[in-house]
Amino acid sequence: MSRRSLVDLAAEASRGGAYLFAGNALSLALSALASILIARLLGPEGYGIYSLVLTVPAIVGPLIGLGIGQAVTRYVAMLGSEGKGCDASMYIRVALIFEASLGLVAMVLVFLCSDLVAMYMLGRPGIGSLVGLVSPLVLTGSIIGICDGVFLAFLKTKYSALVKSLQALVKLALSPLLALSLGVMGALGGNVASYIVATIASLALLASACRTLGSNNKATSVGYVEALRSMISYAYPLYLPTLLGFLIGRVIFVLTAHFVSDYELGNYSVAQNLYSPISMATSAIGSSLFAVFSGLDPGRESREVAEVFRASVKYSTVLMVPAIAMAILFSRDLVVLVYGLDYEAAPLYLALTATGALGVGLGAYVLGGLFAGIGKTQEVFRSWIVNTLVSLPLTLILLPRLGMVGAIVAGLIGGYASTVYLLMRAKIEAGVSIGAKEIARVYVSAAISALATLPVLYVEIHEVLRVILASIIYVASYAIILPLLGALKEDEVSILVNVARRSGPVLLPLTLLLRIEERIIRKLKQIL
């Protein structure tokens, strides 16, 4: 693959990931503000009912998704890259009609059975009318999910970001206002209205995105049944973990409630909140690369697949490892700054959870997208089985003994076992590798930078100043050590600068940092 084509693919992936991250971050911030206002207006009891009712569509939605959203991403990206625009249009129509039909049936069932759902699922017999009120969220979620899948296939993730932000903004405007006069019902009504607006916007943007597909060829070569059958065949290995994970999750939930104190649960929630930026970033990386791999033919373009995989792992490791390392190093200061001194266990939970993200160098956030993109979804399912077979017994053993720490450790070991399995299968099935020596140099650079930063963490100054000073020292050390150890070369930085620059304003801060890294490497070459 030429440098130009590699840069083109990398720019598309990074731009897509950047918009996904930015959209999720903005949506999360707006939703958090809305939740604070709603919680204040409704009070603890009312907000508890509000949150409980919203779990119904949150549970039903993924269960009826069947993985069709991921399937439409794969087929639309693949057919679009082959110039089969009308076939891609057929897959979009089939996916949208099928998921909308399922969503409509599920919505009607939830509405008609709202009293039963309230009584037996939520244990609150008197809130059936509220369950019926939120039933449209099942339908809107199904439609938005398909639209997001198509946006991802086109790598027009700015549309997804726009829809998420619009939904959160409408919710922020309506839910607190309606809660003033109608209480819980008003807050829920505002939430439903926000998703209806988001659905209309999604469909309008979908029509705009699909406008040019039909011009690629004049007639479709695939029918409705064939398209649906192929998507279900592709998607069921991706859906089974959702279904089985829901059932296993119920068991883990019961055990956690029995063996873990409210204090530990509160600290764990704090740790998860602080970890969410890393989680959103890694999720964005995986999603955008899934779309890129879906547009490559593993048979005719095996060399391109291998090069994109190796570069994706290398560059995501270079960029993500320092953020992960700083989350671990500064875990205590971050908790104190945001939540205060009372959450004493949260720093440990945050550090342990972030340790799992260090698997980025093994391809943890690329491998799933690789296998899903090249159509080998059975490997994704098998990796989930490996994860479950390792983590579930460990959870049953460690949770009663170590509490929340045991649950986190069990999940970490299961996650790494799953990643190692996929890495071994990637060599066999796709002929790809991570470039272990290069990745090791990145980790060593990160570790040395951490050692250089440690003394600052024990200086008795305000947490804000300590985090700022330690961050500067860590980033500066990392920027110098990377090229000294040969973990990052000048031509690689040039590629990253080009990619970041072409990815739009979202990555402007990263572009500036990479340009500084370019200058550092040039200075080091002059000195050495």
Side-chain angles (χ1 to χ4, degrees), residues 243-256:
L243 179 61
L244 298 176
F246 171 76
L247 299 174
I248 294 173
R250 298 304 93 193
V251 177
I252 299 298
F253 177 80
V254 172
L255 290 173
T256 302

Side-chain angles (χ1 to χ4, degrees), residues 176-241:
L177 184 63
L178 294 174
L180 281 171
S181 56
L182 299 175
V184 176
M185 181 175 290
L188 291 171
N191 200 334
V192 172
S194 72
Y195 276 99
I196 292 174
V197 171
T199 302
I200 295 170
S202 290
L203 291 172
L205 292 170
L206 179 66
S208 174
C210 296
R211 193 168 295 158
T212 60
L213 277 179
S215 62
N216 289 339
N217 53 351
K218 294 183 179 180
T220 180
S221 61
V222 63
Y224 183 97
V225 175
E226 181 185 349
L228 182 59
R229 184 190 299 118
S230 60
M231 283 193 288
I232 291 176
S233 176
Y234 168 88
Y236 83 85
L238 302 175
Y239 171 70
L240 284 177

Side-chain angles (χ1 to χ4, degrees), residues 230-482:
S230 60
M231 283 193 288
I232 291 176
S233 176
Y234 168 88
Y236 83 85
L238 302 175
Y239 171 70
L240 284 177
T242 301
L243 179 61
L244 298 176
F246 171 76
L247 299 174
I248 294 173
R250 298 304 93 193
V251 177
I252 299 298
F253 177 80
V254 172
L255 290 173
T256 302
H258 183 73
F259 290 109
V260 175
S261 67
D262 292 340
Y263 173 80
E264 289 178 287
L265 287 173
N267 277 268
Y268 181 71
S269 295
V270 163
Q272 290 301 300
N273 291 339
L274 293 173
Y275 178 72
S276 60
I278 294 176
S279 179
M280 286 191 294
T282 54
S283 175
I285 290 171
S287 295
S288 58
L289 288 171
F290 166 44
V292 169
F293 285 121
S294 295
L296 295 173
D297 187 329
R300 292 185 292 105
E301 299 174 300
S302 57
R303 182 180 175 184
E304 285 83 350
V305 170
E307 190 170 348
V308 171
F309 176 81
R310 192 177 183 120
S312 300
V313 174
K314 170 72 178 288
Y315 296 151
S316 60
T317 302
V318 167
L319 297 175
M320 287 302 304
V321 163
I324 298 165
M326 286 190 286
I328 295 171
L329 287 170
F330 310 153
S331 57
R332 182 186 177 279
D333 287 330
L334 291 173
V335 170
V336 172
L337 277 174
V338 180
Y339 291 97
L341 294 169
D342 294 335
Y343 293 90
E344 296 179 354
L348 174 60
Y349 297 164
L350 174 58
L352 285 174
T353 303
T355 301
L358 289 174
V360 63
L362 298 176
Y365 305 106
V366 181
L367 286 163
L370 168 68
F371 281 109
I374 64 176
K376 296 185 180 295
T377 51
Q378 295 87 351
E379 294 296 344
V380 179
F381 177 57
R382 291 180 188 128
S383 73
W384 177 84
I385 292 176
V386 171
N387 189 331
T388 303
L389 289 177
V390 173
S391 62
L392 183 58
L394 284 174
T395 300
L396 297 177
I397 293 170
L398 297 178
L399 184 61
R401 293 167 173 79
L402 301 176
M404 187 56 70
V405 170
I408 297 173
V409 169
L412 288 176
I413 296 173
Y416 275 105
S418 173
T419 298
V420 170
Y421 167 80
L422 282 179
L423 193 58
M424 292 189 298
R425 295 300 299 168
K427 181 68 174 177
I428 297 170
E429 296 288 344
V432 302
S433 61
I434 59 173
K437 290 182 179 179
E438 294 179 344
I439 298 298
R441 291 191 186 104
V442 176
Y443 280 117
V444 172
S445 301
I448 295 173
S449 303
L451 291 175
T453 309
L454 278 177
V456 182
L457 299 179
Y458 295 96
V459 176
E460 292 296 329
I461 55 176
H462 193 275
E463 287 83 3
V464 174
L465 294 176
R466 186 160 52 233
V467 168
I468 293 174
L469 180 59
S471 298
I472 293 171
I473 292 174
Y474 185 93
V475 172
S477 302
Y478 186 70
I480 295 171
I481 295 169
L482 272 177

